[in-house]
Amino acid sequence: MTQDVIALTPQMPDTRTLLAGLHAGGPDLRVGEAGGGSVVQLCTAGGQALVSVEAPRYVQVLGEVARLLGPGVDAESPVWWTEARAASTVERAGRLAGSFAGRLNAVHGGTVWPREAGHTDVVAGLADAIVEATPMGVDLLTDEATVVIQGRPVIAATTWLTDVVRNAARTGRELQIVTPPGTRLTFPARTLLDGLPSRWVVHDPECGYYDGLSGTVLCWDQGRFIPVPGDGPRLADAFRPRPEAEGERQLLLSIRTVHPADEHLLLGGALEQAWRTLTGAPPAGWSTAEPVNVPWSPRQFTDLARTRAQRSLPTWTVAVGAPDRPAIATTRTVRTGAGVEEHITLAVGHGADSAADLLAELAEALSVRHNLATMIGQLRTARADLTVPAHHEPSPVPLTFTLGPDAVAELGKDHLGRDHTAFAPARLGPATRPALHHTLGDGTDPATAWQRLRQINDRMNGA
């Protein structure tokens, strides 16, 4: 298992302190670089990495440390987050990472996570250690899979994980993340795994290995974890529903906007509008990975997307809200033939109040001011802290579907609006360029909601 140690310091680790930390293994270890210089490595005499240290991140967003490491960590934003990752194949590499973090803590104050990992001892005798040649952050590499073994309480979409995801996709391997049963995924980490060959493998001491998202019992076969062969998938007993999320719900939104590509474009408006409508405040912060470390700024968000678009690259970001009203989103921004598209997936911890009025208000605002193309709202019974546990949670139930003005004009508003049932769409915005907002239900009748959504889809496709 890869051993992660994080130094949380109130001051930025300066060069002298970082060098002192890098000498935790004595004079015989080499210092190298990776990730284009963003990662410093402590290496054996042969150049194999024992510990990889990411550049310190200044986390200015309130609540991020507790969200990712747990409420018991004695540190709060703003704080410098310096992460060291030890090779899993060398037993004492974890102590080397702990000594690096402990030395930063000894000079600059703060704390180390996990608390028991921090110390300042020299960990000598590793210059000739044998380290398996795997990419940074990867525990096992086969022809079929990239395997990452993690023991953290929460798996987040960190810089190293996004790099592992990209490398796995580039090499055609399935990404498999192995964790103990108590581990949870953040919403961005769950979103990151969608759309590519991946599997969350949970190792339960009582029932073996199973898929943390589907519950399918797994076994290791020919270089990767696969469902146990048989007549059909077997579900692990540990995947059964748990009562702790009863009464907790998540409101999920999938929003797509299409903007004209010009020099005056300011992105992030649709996301901020959704946040204000549903929580009463703008996002607290944003970043290209977790922990989210930068205060919310549409201008900085736009500048990054524009820079990446000049290199024909999409921009993937994470945004979070204030700790007292959990909300989190991922946004993928890409330049297409239609313009600049934003694909937003937003989750909000939701109480017992109805979301119908808020979603109608949001749909109109997005249609009139933020170039809405489509929006789907869903409700599910799940943890209000928006993390994903390794047991069954009910599927989301569709609440609303909105089609933006341009899509309505293209399809013909009469074609989609000719509905005299109780589910007839509301026309939002100017009469000459309306959006169509369909209310599919209140989240209590999944069959009817899905049937109505299929009918709308059939109409859009001319069935």
Side-chain angles (χ1 to χ4, degrees), residues 208-401:
Y209 296 95
Y210 69 93
D211 189 302
L213 299 175
S214 69
T216 303
V217 177
L218 305 173
C219 65
W220 181 260
D221 182 68
Q222 297 184 10
R224 61 176 175 169
F225 287 97
I226 64 169
V228 171
D231 296 334
R234 289 169 42 199
L235 295 183
D237 290 339
F239 192 70
R240 64 186 180 277
R242 310 287 176 84
E244 61 259 28
E246 291 182 3
E248 298 184 57
R249 294 193 289 179
Q250 296 175 4
L251 181 61
L252 308 175
L253 292 182
S254 296
I255 301 169
R256 184 171 71 92
T257 63
V258 182
H259 308 280
D262 61 52
E263 66 273 16
H264 303 296
L265 175 61
L266 184 65
L267 296 169
L271 180 62
E272 182 170 328
Q273 181 70 65
W275 224 288
R276 289 185 181 275
T277 301
L278 298 175
T279 73
W286 76 286
S287 185
T288 56
E290 295 179 281
V292 173
N293 63 324
V294 182
W296 173 245
S297 169
R299 172 53 60 193
Q300 292 180 358
F301 176 80
T302 302
D303 290 345
L304 174 65
R306 181 173 284 118
T307 299
R308 291 183 61 82
Q310 292 171 353
R311 293 182 286 156
S312 300
L313 296 173
T315 301
W316 188 87
T317 61
V318 181
V320 297
D324 59 345
R325 188 67 194 273
I328 194 164
T330 61
T331 300
R332 185 175 185 272
T333 307
V334 61
R335 175 72 183 269
T336 69
V340 179
E341 296 192 19
E342 293 177 291
H343 298 259
I344 301 167
T345 305
L346 170 63
V348 180
H350 187 62
D353 54 307
S354 171
D357 293 342
L358 288 177
L359 291 180
E361 176 188 340
L362 174 59
E364 183 162 22
L366 294 179
S367 300
V368 173
R369 298 193 291 272
H370 299 289
N371 298 308
L372 177 69
T374 58
M375 181 177 80
I376 297 177
Q378 300 181 86
L379 190 66
R380 69 181 302 182
T381 299
R383 296 175 62 104
D385 67 5
L386 308 176
T387 59
V388 182
H391 60 72
H392 174 77
E393 290 185 320
S395 299
V397 180
L399 294 178
T400 63
F401 173 75

Side-chain angles (χ1 to χ4, degrees), residues 110-167:
T111 189
V112 171
W113 181 92
R115 181 180 296 275
E116 64 275 10
H119 64 93
T120 57
D121 299 340
V122 173
V123 184
L126 293 177
D128 296 323
I130 299 176
V131 184
E132 291 187 12
T134 58
M136 183 179 63
V138 174
D139 293 281
L140 179 63
L141 193 68
T142 72
D143 291 339
E144 303 294 331
T146 297
V147 181
V148 175
I149 306 174
Q150 281 285 294
R152 296 166 79 143
V154 176
I155 303 299
T158 56
T159 301
W160 74 264
L161 183 58
T162 57
D163 287 342
V164 170
V165 167
R166 282 193 291 266
N167 288 333

